[in-house]
Amino acid sequence: LGAAPALTATALNLVGSLCDIGEISRKASAKSSKQTIAESAALHAAKTAAEKRATAALLILRDVCFQRDALRGAAIDCAVAIATGRMPGSPSIEDKALKLVMNVIFPKNSDCSDKVVASATKELEYAARYSVEKHDEIAKANEEAKRRKEPVRQSPKFALQPLSEEEKIAMDKVRKPVVLSMALCVRKPELIKAIMETGCREKADVLAKAVKSNMPKLTRAASTKYGAANIAKRVAEMASEKETPLLLSFLDNLAPVTDKTLPSDELIDACFEIQRNRPDSKGDLDASYIVPILSGMKRDALVQKLSDFVKGGDEMFKVSLRRMSERLGRYALIFRDEPDPSEPTLRGMSSCEQMVYLHRLDFQKVGIPQKRYLDAIRLCLEDEEVFNDRVVQATLDYISGKFLEGESLPLAYLRTIILVLSKHESLHSWMGRA
């Protein structure tokens, strides 16, 4: 830099272009039986030399950032553009650029960190514009892909997978600025607002999908650093009504299905506080905010909330049932008894318990139309993967056992019997004996 006292932003862009070694890397990695040993060695040497030049270019950008205050912003813009893939570079160079930005430049001083944040926000804006531009093309490609493929049962695990090759390419392109922005969010949580704003922009569906698919990493890191309950409330305060879908995705990932521990009481209280603070347009509380922590709630509290999920529509109802029972797989066929009925301690609700409490639900008292109540039970019976013949048998056996002890049969019991007879041939002989 001492030998080059005059530098411009254009010169820095030319330095950044030295990181474009993708073509050389692809040729060196390609295997061909027609290649001689000499040709293969030459390609490998060219790749090594190109990587050294690209690394040297990143070091130049670092030095400019630290030694030339006037060009610091331009140098950071260039490094961030390489890290997010907007300026061409191989995966290894993009990874080096990301580490340079996050581990070297960002912690240097407040001016560097502010410029990194500004540059990352610009890259996120570029990603949002790209998503909007590609929206119609991707929507058309997805429709074509749906027509070509057999309809399959959509599980939550695969809901965020790209449907077409066009969507896959677009998601790969916008994923990198999302990853950088999320890495910065762990250090500056207020940046989550920028991600939610751009991700919820009209027609930016691909960006929203990329944000949701990378949300587990953000929530895991943020909850470790700030605490799950604290970060949940902070993000809820930032989110506008339009940004509710990404807020719900954030809350959902704070209590992941794969986590063996139950949601903490602090997180449960935080979700209820968020629900109270964000009523809908009619002033009613939205049950979606408490769905993520259902597995950690006491069963007697879930019984009181069951009617809210029935009212919430088919999708919310099915998701809530899955959340209630996600850590109770081995108890699916069991209706658990409270050790001490005066002090309930059981958490979550098994599949058998869900069916029993649905049948016991006083739908008229809670203002649910009879048709909606019966439809909720039908939805359960149609989900034969969860409510299989063994779960149904355990449910009917428990209800009929209580009838013999003096309890009245629920209104929907006989209708359920009819539906079960039409769906589960394996239960015909058992029901005949019963």
Side-chain angles (χ1 to χ4, degrees):
L1 289 177
L7 283 173
T8 63
T10 303
L12 291 179
N13 285 331
L14 290 174
V15 171
S17 67
L18 293 174
C19 294
D20 185 7
I21 63 171
E23 187 65 28
I24 295 174
S25 298
R26 280 191 293 274
K27 287 182 178 179
S29 301
K31 301 288 185 180
S32 173
S33 58
K34 295 181 180 180
Q35 272 185 358
T36 64
I37 295 176
E39 288 173 337
S40 180
L43 285 171
H44 180 72
K47 177 186 175 184
T48 303
E51 287 180 345
K52 287 181 179 179
R53 286 196 301 272
T55 303
L58 292 177
L59 294 176
I60 290 172
L61 293 175
R62 179 202 64 185
D63 293 342
V64 171
C65 175
F66 292 165
Q67 299 176 24
R68 301 293 180 87
D69 292 350
L71 287 171
R72 178 174 293 158
I76 290 175
D77 284 347
C78 191
V80 169
I82 294 169
T84 57
R86 190 167 61 84
M87 288 185 71
S90 68
S92 63
I93 296 302
E94 289 174 358
D95 187 52
K96 286 182 180 180
L98 181 62
K99 290 176 180 177
L100 171 66
V101 170
M102 291 301 305
N103 301 334
V104 180
I105 298 177
F106 183 87
K108 183 68 176 176
N109 54 50
S110 60
D111 187 49
C112 285
S113 63
D114 289 344
K115 283 182 167 58
V116 167
V117 168
S119 185
T121 304
K122 283 192 288 186
E123 293 298 327
L124 203 59
E125 181 65 29
Y126 291 140
R129 291 177 191 170
Y130 173 81
S131 299
V132 173
E133 289 171 4
K134 291 289 183 179
H135 175 270
D136 293 341
E137 179 185 334
I138 291 171
K140 183 178 179 181
N142 285 350
E143 286 299 320
E144 289 291 330
K146 286 178 183 178
R147 281 197 290 268
R148 288 196 302 268
K149 295 177 182 178
E150 290 290 327
V152 294
R153 180 191 176 89
Q154 184 76 303
S155 68
K157 183 178 179 181
F158 300 106
L160 298 176
Q161 295 296 317
L163 297 177
S164 62
E165 186 62 26
E166 287 82 354
E167 187 176 33
K168 182 179 182 300
I169 293 171
M171 282 187 69
D172 287 343
K173 184 158 185 158
V174 302
R175 180 184 62 81
K176 295 168 187 175
V178 167
V179 169
L180 174 60
S181 297
M182 285 185 169
L184 291 170
C185 288
V186 178
R187 305 188 186 190
K188 290 193 171 185
E190 58 271 18
L191 296 177
I192 296 175
K193 174 65 175 175
I195 292 179
M196 291 194 295
E197 281 183 346
T198 52
C200 289
R201 192 168 298 175
E202 188 178 359
K203 292 189 175 183
D205 298 348
V206 170
L207 181 60
K209 212 169 185 179
V211 170
K212 289 179 181 178
S213 63
N214 286 279
M215 196 70 81
K217 298 176 184 177
L218 172 60
T219 53
R220 187 163 54 247
S223 62
T224 300
K225 186 169 183 178
Y226 302 101
N230 180 37
I231 197 65
K233 289 188 282 189
R234 288 177 69 175
V235 173
E237 289 172 0
M238 301 177 203
S240 66
E241 184 178 350
K242 185 180 179 181
E243 294 149 15
T244 297
L246 288 185
L247 170 60
L248 292 175
S249 175
F250 186 88
L251 295 176
D252 192 55
N253 283 284
L254 280 176
V257 176
T258 54
D259 192 358
K260 294 181 181 178
T261 59
L262 293 171
S264 65
D265 290 337
E266 291 79 9
L267 179 58
I268 292 173
D269 292 340
C271 287
F272 273 102
E273 182 181 333
I274 292 169
Q275 184 193 38
R276 290 192 297 271
N277 293 336
R278 298 176 68 91
D280 62 19
S281 56
K282 297 179 181 178
D284 298 327
L285 299 182
D286 187 347
S288 301
Y289 295 109
I290 63 172
V291 168
I293 45 85
L294 293 181
S295 62
M297 289 176 60
K298 292 182 178 179
R299 190 179 68 181
D300 66 325
L302 291 176
V303 173
Q304 302 301 318
K305 294 290 182 183
L306 193 58
S307 59
D308 294 338
F309 301 119
V310 174
K311 294 176 183 176
D314 292 355
E315 193 58 36
M316 181 192 291
F317 178 62
K318 290 188 286 188
V319 171
S320 66
L321 294 183
R322 176 177 60 81
R323 275 295 196 176
M324 289 180 199
S325 63
E326 65 188 2
R327 292 174 174 86
L328 297 173
R330 58 182 169 174
Y331 298 106
L333 309 179
I334 301 172
F335 188 97
R336 299 166 297 162
D337 293 321
E338 288 281 2
D340 183 359
S342 62
E343 294 184 9
T345 57
L346 295 178
R347 294 181 184 266
M349 190 181 289
S350 70
S351 300
C352 175
E353 292 164 357
Q354 289 170 1
M355 286 292 285
V356 171
Y357 283 119
L358 271 174
H359 280 79
R360 289 178 174 177
L361 181 63
D362 189 345
F363 62 91
Q364 292 178 327
K365 182 178 179 181
V366 294
I368 298 175
Q370 180 174 327
K371 183 179 183 304
R372 175 60 195 162
Y373 166 66
L374 296 175
D375 280 346
I377 296 176
R378 176 185 55 77
L379 281 171
C380 293
L381 294 174
E382 287 178 351
D383 189 356
E384 296 182 25
E385 184 177 328
V386 177
F387 298 95
N388 54 42
D389 53 358
R390 297 178 65 199
V391 172
V392 173
Q393 180 180 345
T395 302
L396 297 177
D397 195 42
Y398 182 86
I399 294 175
S400 58
K402 288 297 180 181
F403 172 69
L404 294 176
E405 293 176 8
E407 289 188 10
S408 59
L409 286 174
L411 173 69
Y413 181 77
L414 292 178
R415 184 174 182 273
T416 299
I417 293 287
I418 296 171
L419 290 174
V420 169
L421 285 171
S422 64
K423 279 183 168 294
H424 299 281
E425 284 190 32
S426 59
L427 296 181
H428 286 187
S429 58
W430 172 79
M431 295 180 76
R433 291 195 301 272

